[in-house]
Amino acid sequence: MNGEPAHERIAEFSCPIPISDHPNILLAHGGGGQLTHSLIEKMFAPAFRNSLLESRHDGAVLSFNGIRLAFTTDSHVVHPLFFPGGDIGTLAVNGTVNDLAMCGARPVYLSAGFIIEEGMPMETLWRVVQSMRCAAARDGVQLVTGDTKVVEKGKGDGLFINTSGIGILEHNLSIAPASVRDGDVILLSGDIGRHGIAIMAVREGLSFESAIQSDCASVAGPVMELLKTGIEIHCLRDLTRGGLATALVEITEVARLQADLEETAIPVREEVRGACELLGLDPLYVANEGRFVALVPSKDALQALTLMKSHSGDACVIGRVIAPQSRSFESGVVTIRSPIGASRIVDRLSGEQLPRIC
Amino acid sequence: MNGEPAHERIAEFSCPIPISDHPNILLAHGGGGQLTHSLIEKMFAPAFRNSLLESRHDGAVLSFNGIRLAFTTDSHVVHPLFFPGGDIGTLAVNGTVNDLAMCGARPVYLSAGFIIEEGMPMETLWRVVQSMRCAAARDGVQLVTGDTKVVEKGKGDGLFINTSGIGILEHNLSIAPASVRDGDVILLSGDIGRHGIAIMAVREGLSFESAIQSDCASVAGPVMELLKTGIEIHCLRDLTRGGLATALVEITEVARLQADLEETAIPVREEVRGACELLGLDPLYVANEGRFVALVPSKDALQALTLMKSHSGDACVIGRVIAPQSRSFESGVVTIRSPIGASRIVDRLSGEQLPRIC
């Protein structure tokens, strides 16, 4: 056995997630919160260990003879396929475009892998393909390669779409959680919680006074403009599964810093807040599909805010990065100050709030 | 309406596949044959039209300041997850590695997108991840980015895996169907039909005297060696869904040439031939996962054959590319000469032979 390379021997090791903990995959393993984190940290990261995976970012930044490219992938399983403000096609294109933008890359090329359930109406596929076409054209990205699989009726759910993407980095910044510094200002690109509530409303047959539309959109435009100004961007992160809270927990964990947020500064539309109260949800954890945070040094914060506000009037400063205020915070922490001044610790999403949100 | 860009208006067009033809997606739309071809040509290609998609190859070749990269994607839905000779993990890595190799690229980076059905045993996921790790290590590729989604029980089927990949082209050849020329020699890298028969045997509970193992393997090794010799490779294609026949039909259609094959030259193992007879299958259409054809000018054929034989004793010349022998062949055709000298035309797979083979 000694002659075998290490990777041939690993199959003998036992599963790193003890059967006594989780013998089977739960919906929450795909929810973007605690269990997804545990699956990545305990199973995927050790198995595929390499320096690019270590960044724990929305994509990998690859170097080819001085040319830096971002590479990212996302499978989309949103249910229902069509929802107020978008559909699985717009989501599949925007989701991957946004992940490239979060690496500071200009999105250029996409792939699409369709997994279709037998019996899906051809017209439905056509509508989704048209949405993808429109979303790709809006961002000037080309869909250059693809794949189609069909599974038997009852072995899928209409349509799943994987999109992977390649973007070009046209600057020398290292935009990643590890670049975040004590004193950075945390900017949010707009109001939060709309995508999750829009999906939940359709799914649960809820109706509100005014229909809540998903915020599903590309954020490549504002990000490319931020980069053009030469602002020293430290980190970008789009707020998808797990919401604002989980995104900032993930960033501070890698950066080993503390993020202090002002709850009153975080924009949540009245109807979203009402729906959250009705459904027992915290808007901090609700998924978005067109929102991101930017972490920049305080010298650049005003310029970044002005530019972000030109895209969305709701863009704002929501807090600041500081050195850990307690020894127990040294692996990273997010705190939030309530309107009455009380401060609480925000953890990543635990359990599954809303499966198949994207 | 005139002010809207063209891509915003297309949604008004009607579905390009008439409802009277196929109102719903059939399993055969994912089979790699006629209906997959029709879906690509009528729906995907017109919607996403660009010069890179036009090559109709296993991946797109992208240029970045003189650096040429291949980019490809495949979703894997094979059933069962484990089969003689491999599993969905080895298949997911090798499948994408092979598609990169078919572009003449050295595979370097992979992404992985998991769609898991709620309730799948954690241990099963772990075994698949270990297979992926081993397969990636064998080819020296790094898995650098990923995504995990979980769907409710009954809305998936255990595990689907998308892998996308990036490879580097380290030569100046244009390896694609359009580069094929009159006079090219067609080489096959080994015996055909094993993957499809291995899967079918497990699924149907058939047992043969000796178990038939899938040919699932990376072909990057022999392809990289072929490239290193400086042989003028015109086209490479791996023989997956639709088998040898469909691969050559697709190539000759783009090249607008004719491929003449010798049936007796095509290696099929005795037990595979027997199983095909029993099941009413033609080995020419049965899927492989570790076989490819190389089309090279006759001056290079012997050198290519010698090298390919050093990897598999079954590698052989199976035919030749000629100018279309009839006006009706001008859009490309494949003919095959039987042992008794009769010649017949081979079309791409029609209908669905065996769903979820990869």
Side-chain angles (χ1 to χ4, degrees):
Chain A
M1 290 301 289
N2 286 337
E4 281 185 39
H7 61 264
E8 298 287 357
R9 285 201 307 266
I10 191 124
E12 298 165 19
F13 300 164
S14 59
C15 179
I17 296 177
I19 297 220
S20 51
D21 284 5
H22 292 289
N24 299 313
I25 291 284
L26 306 176
L27 281 171
H29 281 109
Q34 290 285 12
L35 288 187
T36 305
H37 179 72
S38 141
L39 201 57
I40 292 171
E41 296 301 324
K42 292 186 183 164
M43 189 182 294
F44 296 136
F48 301 120
R49 190 178 302 288
N50 60 66
S51 60
L52 292 159
L53 265 185
E54 292 302 313
S55 75
R56 299 289 190 273
H57 200 29
D58 285 340
V61 175
L62 316 173
S63 269
F64 297 93
N65 260 353
I67 295 170
R68 289 201 305 162
L69 301 179
F71 178 35
T72 187
T73 194
D74 255 324
S75 293
H76 301 270
V77 299
V78 67
H79 176 79
L81 296 178
F82 299 85
F83 49 83
D87 62 46
I88 191 172
T90 47
L91 201 64
V93 170
N94 291 338
T96 293
V97 158
N98 289 351
D99 280 348
L100 293 173
M102 294 304 101
C103 298
R106 179 166 60 81
V108 190
Y109 298 117
L110 294 186
S111 66
F114 297 90
I115 300 176
I116 314 174
E117 185 190 6
E118 178 189 18
M120 191 181 70
M122 189 66 78
E123 184 75 28
T124 305
L125 179 61
W126 167 243
R127 285 170 62 200
V128 170
V129 164
Q130 292 313 310
S131 293
M132 294 179 76
R133 174 193 163 100
C134 292
R138 272 193 292 269
D139 272 311
V141 295
Q142 289 188 321
L143 197 149
V144 293
T145 189
D147 175 58
T148 307
K149 295 292 190 307
V150 179
V151 295
E152 303 90 335
K153 204 162 177 59
K155 301 294 183 182
D157 194 16
L159 178 62
F160 304 145
I161 305 177
N162 177 282
T163 43
S164 299
I166 295 178
I168 308 181
L169 279 78
E170 297 165 317
H171 52 77
N172 296 316
L173 299 170
S174 170
I175 296 174
S179 300
V180 171
R181 293 289 173 268
D182 179 7
D184 280 359
V185 172
I186 305 168
L187 297 119
L188 171 63
S189 70
D191 67 301
I192 61 169
R194 275 199 276 144
H195 178 70
I197 297 299
I199 295 279
M200 187 167 270
V202 187
R203 230 187 270 174
E204 306 295 328
L206 306 176
S207 63
F208 305 105
E209 264 180 56
S210 50
I212 296 173
Q213 297 257 323
S214 165
D215 62 307
C216 178
S218 162
V219 301
V223 170
M224 293 309 108
E225 288 182 29
L226 281 172
L227 286 166
K228 229 180 279 175
T229 60
I231 288 172
E232 187 189 326
I233 301 169
H234 286 169
C235 190
L236 300 167
R237 180 65 61 103
D238 58 342
L239 313 177
T240 55
R241 288 179 289 178
L244 174 64
T246 305
L248 287 172
V249 169
E250 287 178 354
I251 291 171
T252 55
E253 271 188 5
V254 175
R256 298 178 165 273
L257 291 167
Q258 179 169 339
D260 273 3
L261 309 182
E262 288 291 339
E263 193 164 355
T264 53
I266 299 168
V268 182
R269 293 202 180 176
E270 225 17 73
E271 61 266 34
V272 171
R273 194 178 298 280
C276 280
E277 276 168 18
L278 192 72
L279 298 162
L281 300 175
D282 182 341
L284 287 179
Y285 292 96
V286 177
N288 312 271
E289 286 294 336
R291 295 290 177 258
F292 67 99
V293 287
L295 288 83
V296 305
S298 61
K299 70 175 172 63
D300 289 332
L302 184 62
Q303 191 182 0
L305 179 64
T306 308
L307 195 151
M308 286 167 69
K309 268 193 172 301
S310 75
H311 285 271
S312 159
D314 287 329
C316 56
V317 170
I318 58 166
R320 184 175 285 272
V321 176
I322 59 174
Q325 299 297 294
S326 150
R327 280 191 70 84
S328 60
F329 292 177
E330 277 176 9
S331 64
V333 72
V334 178
T335 61
I336 186 160
R337 199 185 317 268
S338 77
I340 55 162
S343 195
R344 63 185 164 101
I345 292 178
V346 172
D347 205 348
R348 52 164 58 80
L349 179 65
S350 87
E352 173 56 299
Q353 191 187 63
L354 186 56
R356 298 179 58 191
I357 194 74
C358 61
Chain B
M1 292 299 289
N2 285 338
E4 282 184 40
H7 60 264
E8 297 287 357
R9 285 201 307 266
I10 190 116
E12 298 166 19
F13 300 164
S14 58
C15 179
I17 297 177
I19 299 222
S20 51
D21 283 6
H22 292 288
N24 299 313
I25 292 284
L26 307 175
L27 281 171
H29 281 109
Q34 290 285 11
L35 288 187
T36 304
H37 179 72
S38 141
L39 200 58
I40 293 171
E41 297 302 324
K42 293 186 183 163
M43 189 181 295
F44 296 137
F48 301 120
R49 191 178 302 288
N50 60 64
S51 59
L52 292 159
L53 265 185
E54 291 302 313
S55 75
R56 300 289 191 271
H57 200 29
D58 285 339
V61 174
L62 315 173
S63 269
F64 297 93
N65 259 352
I67 294 171
R68 290 200 304 161
L69 301 179
F71 179 35
T72 187
T73 194
D74 254 324
S75 293
H76 300 270
V77 299
V78 67
H79 177 79
L81 296 178
F82 299 84
F83 49 83
D87 62 46
I88 190 172
T90 46
L91 201 63
V93 170
N94 291 338
T96 293
V97 158
N98 289 351
D99 280 349
L100 293 172
M102 295 302 102
C103 298
R106 179 165 60 82
V108 190
Y109 297 117
L110 293 186
S111 66
F114 298 90
I115 300 177
I116 313 175
E117 185 190 7
E118 179 188 18
M120 190 181 71
M122 189 66 77
E123 184 74 28
T124 305
L125 179 62
W126 167 243
R127 284 170 63 201
V128 170
V129 164
Q130 292 313 309
S131 294
M132 294 179 75
R133 173 192 165 101
C134 293
R138 272 193 293 268
D139 272 312
V141 296
Q142 288 189 322
L143 197 149
V144 293
T145 190
D147 175 59
T148 307
K149 295 293 191 307
V150 179
V151 295
E152 303 90 337
K153 203 162 176 58
K155 301 295 182 181
D157 194 16
L159 179 61
F160 303 145
I161 305 176
N162 177 283
T163 42
S164 299
I166 295 179
I168 308 180
L169 280 78
E170 297 165 316
H171 53 77
N172 296 316
L173 299 170
S174 170
I175 296 174
S179 300
V180 172
R181 294 288 174 268
D182 179 7
D184 280 359
V185 172
I186 305 168
L187 297 120
L188 171 63
S189 70
D191 67 302
I192 62 169
R194 276 199 276 146
H195 179 70
I197 296 299
I199 295 279
M200 187 167 269
V202 187
R203 229 186 272 173
E204 306 296 326
L206 305 176
S207 63
F208 305 105
E209 263 180 58
S210 50
I212 296 173
Q213 297 256 322
S214 165
D215 62 307
C216 178
S218 161
V219 301
V223 170
M224 292 310 107
E225 287 183 30
L226 280 172
L227 286 166
K228 229 179 280 175
T229 60
I231 287 172
E232 186 189 326
I233 301 170
H234 287 170
C235 191
L236 299 166
R237 180 64 62 102
D238 58 341
L239 312 178
T240 55
R241 288 179 289 179
L244 174 64
T246 306
L248 288 173
V249 169
E250 287 177 355
I251 291 171
T252 55
E253 272 188 4
V254 175
R256 298 179 165 272
L257 290 166
Q258 180 169 339
D260 274 3
L261 308 182
E262 287 291 339
E263 194 163 356
T264 52
I266 299 169
V268 182
R269 293 202 180 175
E270 224 18 71
E271 61 266 35
V272 170
R273 194 178 297 282
C276 280
E277 275 168 18
L278 191 73
L279 297 162
L281 300 174
D282 183 340
L284 286 179
Y285 292 96
V286 177
N288 313 271
E289 285 294 335
R291 296 291 176 257
F292 67 99
V293 287
L295 288 81
V296 305
S298 61
K299 70 176 170 65
D300 288 331
L302 184 60
Q303 192 183 359
L305 179 64
T306 308
L307 196 151
M308 288 167 69
K309 268 191 171 302
S310 75
H311 286 271
S312 159
D314 286 330
C316 56
V317 171
I318 58 166
R320 184 174 284 272
V321 176
I322 59 174
Q325 299 297 295
S326 149
R327 281 190 70 84
S328 60
F329 291 177
E330 277 175 10
S331 64
V333 71
V334 178
T335 60
I336 187 161
R337 199 185 316 270
S338 76
I340 55 162
S343 196
R344 65 187 164 99
I345 291 178
V346 172
D347 205 348
R348 54 164 55 82
L349 179 64
S350 88
E352 173 56 300
Q353 190 188 62
L354 185 56
R356 299 179 58 191
I357 194 75
C358 60

